[in-house]
Amino acid sequence: ASLFGHVEPAPKDPILGVTEAFLADPSPDKVNVGVGAYRDDNGKPVVLECVREAERRIAGNLNMEYLPMGGSIKMIEESLKLAYGEDSDFIKDKRIAAVQALSGTGACRLFADFQRRFLPNSQICIPTPTWSNHHNIWRDAQVPQRTFTYYHPESRGLDFAGLMDDIKNAPNGSFFLLHACAHNPTGVDPTEEQWREISYQFKIKNHFPFFDMAYQGFASGDPERDAKAIRIFLEDGHQIGCAQSYAKNMGLYGQRAGCLSILCEDEMQAVSVKSQLQQIARPMYSNPPVHGALVVSIILNDPELKSLWLKEVKGMADRIIGMRKALRENLEGLGSPLSWDHITNQIGMFCYSGMTPEQVDRLTNEYHIYMTRNGRISMAGVTTGNVAYLANAIHEVTK
Ligand code: PLP
């Protein structure tokens, strides 16, 4: 028998499969609203001007030495300011254990492995639905999962009552995965008031919130505003964990620049936790990549480049918000009797349209429009040039 004869092909990733099918379609009308990466109004990938400038400054001046095991100290410092607040006492008091991570995915995975190693009897509560990779990450880290209610299909908004019930009914001291902003795939976020109630209930139940923050700045256009949920939990005195990614908000997708942080009780605890996080990273990849981290720290550390970044991230968010409005207006203009309010109520990269898998299949087969079968539209793929075509097709298949 052959050594690897029993190895079956792995199931296709639902998102990467969409891109493959799009690329193979020769139609000039084709539209890709499947991928979770920003595109400009011509459908082209974007490198931010602040990133270009940071790269000009790096060019020729960078040695290729290893970063420390925990990654770039400067990049971590800047990341913490972004997530916890410029003047956060937790930073001053050195209460946060933080390491550079392989973007948001790597940050989640490091945390999951840490959870498995040091809290072996804990579970992770994951919202329904969520970014599908969350399930894979905690599965491979061998942390048991349970799900909690999040999305309300009828209103295409938040099932707040269901969410609160599940928070109350989870065993005391449970770990919860929360999307800090721009929930993927639904685009549905709790309001500030609802976050306060969630935080209050977490306190009563002694739950631990782990924030996956993959879209800071990308939701509202303002990174401070997008960190509001985290800040509320911090004000309420929670210990938290946080995964940060610079993939979307700096367009550094392939650079794998991110940060994992865990707010500890005191500095001594933070030192121990950080050393253990490094210990987990060591046999997996030794140390994280240098280039993206340098780009991030140069941008965030330079007032001029930082304000350019803030302007550019707002530009991306505003384009997406504008396309939500245009898509909704086009659908209404076509006389669709359905409610499309959720397109503009939802926020961030994705619109959870409510279309059925069969309707999505028709979009693909009849109109060359590519997206995941859960009805998720990547708003980043919508442009002035294709929004009318997209609206018409959606109208036709939802009649
Ligand atoms: N978390 C969420 C909710 C996401 O949507 C994504 C990207 O799609 C990520 C994490 C991780 O992305 P990356 O590993 O590229 O930072």
Side-chain angles (χ1 to χ4, degrees), residues 102-106 131 134 179 184 212 214-215 245 247-248 253 256:
L102 303 186
S103 212
T105 307
W131 180 48
H134 284 148
H179 297 230
N184 177 6
D212 184 5
Y215 298 92
S245 164
K248 322 289 154 117
Y253 305 93
R256 316 311 292 145

Side-chain angles (χ1 to χ4, degrees), residues 123-308:
Q123 301 183 323
I124 185 81
C125 303
I126 293 181
T128 315
T130 195
W131 180 48
S132 56
N133 212 19
H134 284 148
H135 293 293
N136 308 333
I137 289 169
W138 270 270
R139 177 201 63 212
D140 277 9
Q142 300 182 334
V143 176
Q145 306 175 21
R146 57 189 271 160
T147 56
F148 67 88
T149 306
Y150 189 82
Y151 180 70
H152 189 254
E154 287 73 38
S155 67
R156 287 164 200 168
L158 185 67
D159 185 346
F160 186 60
L163 167 65
M164 291 304 281
D165 279 346
D166 286 354
I167 292 170
K168 286 175 195 162
N169 292 332
N172 288 351
S174 293
F175 285 68
F176 274 74
L177 172 83
L178 301 171
H179 297 230
C181 63
H183 182 275
N184 177 6
T186 67
V188 172
D189 286 349
T191 64
E192 201 177 310
E193 201 38 55
Q194 287 169 333
W195 275 122
R196 288 190 193 284
E197 288 186 48
I198 293 168
S199 171
Y200 178 78
Q201 198 57 48
F202 264 56
K203 202 80 206 177
I204 292 175
K205 293 286 298 182
N206 199 26
H207 292 329
F208 182 93
F210 181 73
F211 287 98
D212 184 5
M213 184 152 64
Y215 298 92
Q216 188 180 7
F218 209 90
S220 70
D222 174 5
E224 282 299 303
R225 194 163 145 199
D226 289 352
K228 192 69 202 178
I230 288 182
R231 306 293 171 78
I232 288 170
F233 274 74
L234 292 175
E235 268 171 43
D236 289 349
H238 290 277
Q239 280 186 247
I240 70 163
C242 181
Q244 289 171 265
S245 164
Y246 293 100
K248 322 289 154 117
N249 60 8
M250 276 193 198
L252 292 176
Y253 305 93
Q255 293 290 350
R256 316 311 292 145
C259 182
L260 167 67
S261 57
I262 300 175
L263 175 57
C264 299
E265 223 143 64
D266 54 35
E267 182 179 352
M268 229 169 65
Q269 202 176 79
V271 169
S272 302
V273 169
K274 176 169 178 166
S275 70
Q276 292 294 349
L277 292 173
Q278 292 178 170
Q279 192 90 120
I280 293 169
R282 177 68 170 154
M284 285 202 286
Y285 54 84
S286 265
N287 45 65
V290 65
H291 185 82
L294 200 54
V295 169
V296 170
S297 59
I298 287 174
I299 292 171
L300 295 180
N301 202 15
D302 178 308
E304 223 171 282
L305 277 188
K306 185 169 177 191
S307 63
L308 177 58

